[in-house]
Every structure is written in C-alpha cells, then in structure tokens.
Amino acid sequence: MNIYYPPQFWKNKKLLFGITGGISAFKVAGYVSHLVQAGSDIQVIMTESAQQFIGKNTFSALTRKPVYTDLFESGEKILHIHLMREYECFVVAPATANIIGKMAGGIGDDLLSSCFFVDPKKVIFAPAMNVDMWHNPIVQENIKKLIAIGVRVIIPSSGNLACGERGEGRLPEQEEFLEALYYLLCSPQPLQGKKVLITAGPTREYIDPIRYLTNSSSGLMGCSLAAAARARGADVTLIAGPMSVRIPSGIHFLPIVSTQDLKTAVLEQYDKTDICIMNAAVADYRPSNISTVKIKKQGKSELILNLIQNPDILSELGRRKVSQVLVGFCAEDGDIVTEARQKLQQKNCDVMVANQILTGESGFEVDKNKAWFLNKNGEMIDIPLMSKMELAEIIIDQIGAFYFS
Ligand code: C5P
C-alpha cells in the first residue's frame, strides 16, 4: 500500500472524531487505529444511532480512553465547549444526511451536534450515504451552506454501496481518507492557488503491438511530489506513464504511454503552469519503426532494433520558459553533483534534483531516496537517505521557500 503522507505528520496531532449512524462507521475504527499508532491523540464521540453500527468499546479500546456520547456526562466541564477548545479539529465521519441537515439548520440536540456550533471552522465532514441521498438537493444545499461558513468536506468516493447500489456515497478507503485529511490539515500552504505540473513514472516505447522498451521507475517519487504539492495548497496535474503505484487523490491525472505522448501533454499544460517538475524517467531512445504485427522468430538467431533519439522535453521546456519554475531530476551513478550542475545550466532549469542510483537502497523501485537539491544560484542541499514522501516534502518546501515566500 502506498501512502502519500509522511507517517510522522500524525505524531502529537489532537483530533476529535465524531461518529454518526451510518454503516461505514466500521471503517473509522481502522482510521482511528492507524492514527493512534502513528502517535495522534484521538478522542471519539458518538451519536445514539452510531452505536447501532459499532460499539463504544471498540473505540475506547483503540484510543485507550472513554468515548463520550452524552452532552451532560462530564460533571464540572461543559463538555462540548471543552472538547472543541482542546482538539485541533473535529472530524465527523461518517457524516449522515441527518447530521449535515442538523448543522446546516442550526440544531444542536446532542453532544456531537452541539460541538459543531462551538467552532464550525474546526469541523471536517466526511459524508457517507446512499447515492440518491447524497444527490438529494437538500443535502447538496446544506453542504454548500456549511462550506460557506468555513466547514471543510472530504467528498465521498464512488463504488459499491452497502445498500447494494452503486455510485457516489462511499466513505473513502483508509489511505485516501488519511491523505485527504493530510491535505486539509497541512499548514502553512505556501503554494495556494499555484498550478504545479509533475511528470512521473516510466515511458513505454513500443517495438510491436505487445512488446516495448521501458525502465523500472515505479512512479513513487513523482506521486509523492504530487501529494506534497497538493498538501501545500497547489492545484496539481500529474502526467505519467504506466506506474506500479497508486495515484494520489485530489489531483488531476493525465495518463500517457510514450515519450512523444508525454511531450504533447506537457506542452499543452506548460503555459498555464507556475511550477513544472519533470520527474518522469523518460526513455532517451525509441524504435525507429514500430512493427504493426507481432515480430516472429522465424528462424532468425538475432534481432537488431534500430533506435532513434527521443526529444529532450526538459531542454525544450527550458527554451520555452517564461516565468515557470522549472525543476529537473537526474539519476546518476558517477560524479552526481558535477553532472547535475551541468544539466541545470544546459537545460536552463531553476532547480535540479540529483538522485543516487545503483546503491540498492536509493533510487528506482525502492521507497527511499538519497538526493542533492541544487538551484541556479549555485546553492546545494545534501539531503540524506529518507523515504520518498519525506524527500518530496523537503523538495516542495525548498521550491516554495525559494520562489514563493
Ligand atoms: O539528461 P537526462 O536524461 O539525465 O535528464 C533527466 C531529466 O530530463 C529528467 O528531469 C527527465 O524527466 C528529463 N528528460 C526529458 N526528456 C528526455 C529525457 C529526460 O525531459 N528525453
């Protein structure tokens, strides 16, 4: 499972979870368990009907503290005020049509709905319900009303619903849910409103209809960069060849196959881009002819492929650069920093990130990377071996600090 948030992000986070009466309440037990293990302080409150779907004891065992259900149970403290002051956000998941309606309509008749009125800006809703209920105009109107006063929403995903129907209304799976929460809680957001274009993964250069030349790039580094940029407020477009990793949520995704497809797609986006990060492991050569039929052995003891050079997209982007911040990646096994410095200049980039490859623990197909971050002012940061998600955050923060602070 690929996760596009740094696990340490959750350490010491104080999160209040409100669970209402929907079948997907069982999924929240998984989220809570993960967050507690990652070091968060989680307090759960439940409505009466939530307890029809999952027991209080499940959450008190997972959080190692009592679950609150009653507005009047705390004694000396006014519970809803105390909880909303104490915790940094209030995640209502699943949020039923009923709780959404109560909050939009100003009804606070139990602990959970009363918490909402203390500080709506701390509230994050994750609606989950039947597809027709979700598309009911009253529900949609209520959601708009809540967003207008600063409530944040994790939009439900599409798929099979517990009622047997299909459509929008599912509570997102754990990795997507936590990714969405990471995006909402990440602060500051220096790239708010910036358009970021990222390329990732390998390209495929077909030889015949079923065979191709490629490389072992998984796409993990590019996807991690996309999530880190999204978490810092950017509007992210990811262009990528066939990857072996999950695509992060909340971004625009444009699939491509060959280097020439990549060039067309990137050039289409480039003019409206503020930051362009070329992380794709692009094939430098492609077969000069693609056979339209499967190449047969037919007694041949050898097969010679003629290859021609692919366009160098990064150099082309360097030539066309107006105000974009252009970031290249290079994977090297020799004198990494010298080569990266030369490429930074030759390709007219603003930043070059050099990766160490062929060490076994860094680079392609592994989840860690060792890198050097170089900018065109001649500054360099030597970044130690770390997870690609942690490295992605450092790279995006450096770009933000250098160009957008
Ligand atoms: O020159 P080199 O291939 O090492 O440069 C790597 C950088 O150039 C990466 O950012 C990669 O995405 C990009 N690239 C490209 N077009 C190519 C080859 C690489 O844009 N044909």
Side-chain angles (χ1 to χ4, degrees), residues 250-318:
I251 57 153
H252 312 284
F253 176 60
L254 303 174
I256 54 94
V257 177
S258 68
T259 302
Q260 284 167 303
D261 297 343
L262 181 67
K263 183 178 175 189
T264 309
V266 168
L267 291 182
E268 240 170 65
Q269 302 291 321
Y270 194 50
D271 288 348
K272 47 186 181 213
T273 295
D274 297 301
I275 303 170
C276 176
I277 306 178
M278 285 289 294
N279 176 249
V282 181
D284 290 326
Y285 293 91
R286 68 176 185 276
S288 45
N289 274 316
I290 304 176
S291 170
T292 52
V293 290
K294 185 182 165 207
I295 297 171
K296 301 234 167 28
K297 286 198 286 287
Q298 280 171 344
K300 283 181 268 178
S301 62
E302 64 177 26
L303 176 71
I304 296 173
L305 283 177
N306 274 318
L307 303 179
I308 53 169
Q309 204 171 4
N310 265 326
D312 186 328
I313 307 167
L314 187 57
S315 296
E316 179 65 30
L317 298 177

Side-chain angles (χ1 to χ4, degrees), residues 194-210:
K194 299 282 173 236
K195 287 200 179 295
V196 177
L197 181 63
I198 298 173
T199 68
T203 58
R204 275 184 191 174
E205 307 297 342
Y206 272 87
I207 299 168
D208 70 14
I210 51 168

Side-chain angles (χ1 to χ4, degrees), residues 125-172:
F125 268 101
M129 62 196 77
N130 166 273
V131 55
D132 289 332
M133 291 173 75
W134 170 243
H135 289 295
N136 182 307
I138 303 267
V139 172
Q140 290 301 316
E141 204 50 52
N142 287 338
I143 296 272
K144 278 193 206 133
K145 245 187 185 176
L146 292 170
I147 290 174
I149 59 161
V151 174
R152 290 161 292 169
V153 179
I154 295 177
I155 299 293
S157 50
S158 268
N160 291 331
L161 302 169
C163 55
E165 298 179 10
R166 275 186 69 79
E168 257 178 295
R170 279 172 68 87
L171 197 63

Side-chain angles (χ1 to χ4, degrees), residues 32-158:
V32 166
S33 164
H34 183 90
L35 290 170
V36 170
Q37 284 175 45
S40 292
D41 168 5
I42 308 278
Q43 174 65 58
V44 172
I45 60 182
M46 297 174 80
T47 61
E48 280 282 324
S49 33
Q51 294 168 70
Q52 298 289 327
F53 292 95
I54 185 163
K56 247 170 108 157
N57 291 341
T58 301
F59 286 106
S60 53
L62 291 173
T63 59
R64 294 166 218 138
K65 53 166 92 158
V67 167
Y68 295 121
T69 53
D70 182 0
L71 193 53
F72 306 103
E73 71 188 276
S74 86
E76 82 272 16
K77 281 183 184 143
I78 303 174
L79 194 52
H80 56 296
I81 312 280
H82 165 73
L83 291 173
M84 289 302 281
R85 299 284 183 244
E86 176 87 3
Y87 286 85
E88 69 188 78
C89 74
F90 179 30
V91 184
V92 184
T96 56
N98 178 56
I99 193 74
I100 293 167
K102 279 206 312 198
M103 295 181 182
I107 299 167
D109 62 355
D110 60 7
L111 176 62
L112 197 147
S113 51
S114 298
C115 285
F116 167 82
F117 291 99
V118 179
D119 193 349
K121 289 200 167 61
K122 277 193 178 176
V123 177
I124 296 171
F125 268 101
M129 62 196 77
N130 166 273
V131 55
D132 289 332
M133 291 173 75
W134 170 243
H135 289 295
N136 182 307
I138 303 267
V139 172
Q140 290 301 316
E141 204 50 52
N142 287 338
I143 296 272
K144 278 193 206 133
K145 245 187 185 176
L146 292 170
I147 290 174
I149 59 161
V151 174
R152 290 161 292 169
V153 179
I154 295 177
I155 299 293
S157 50
S158 268

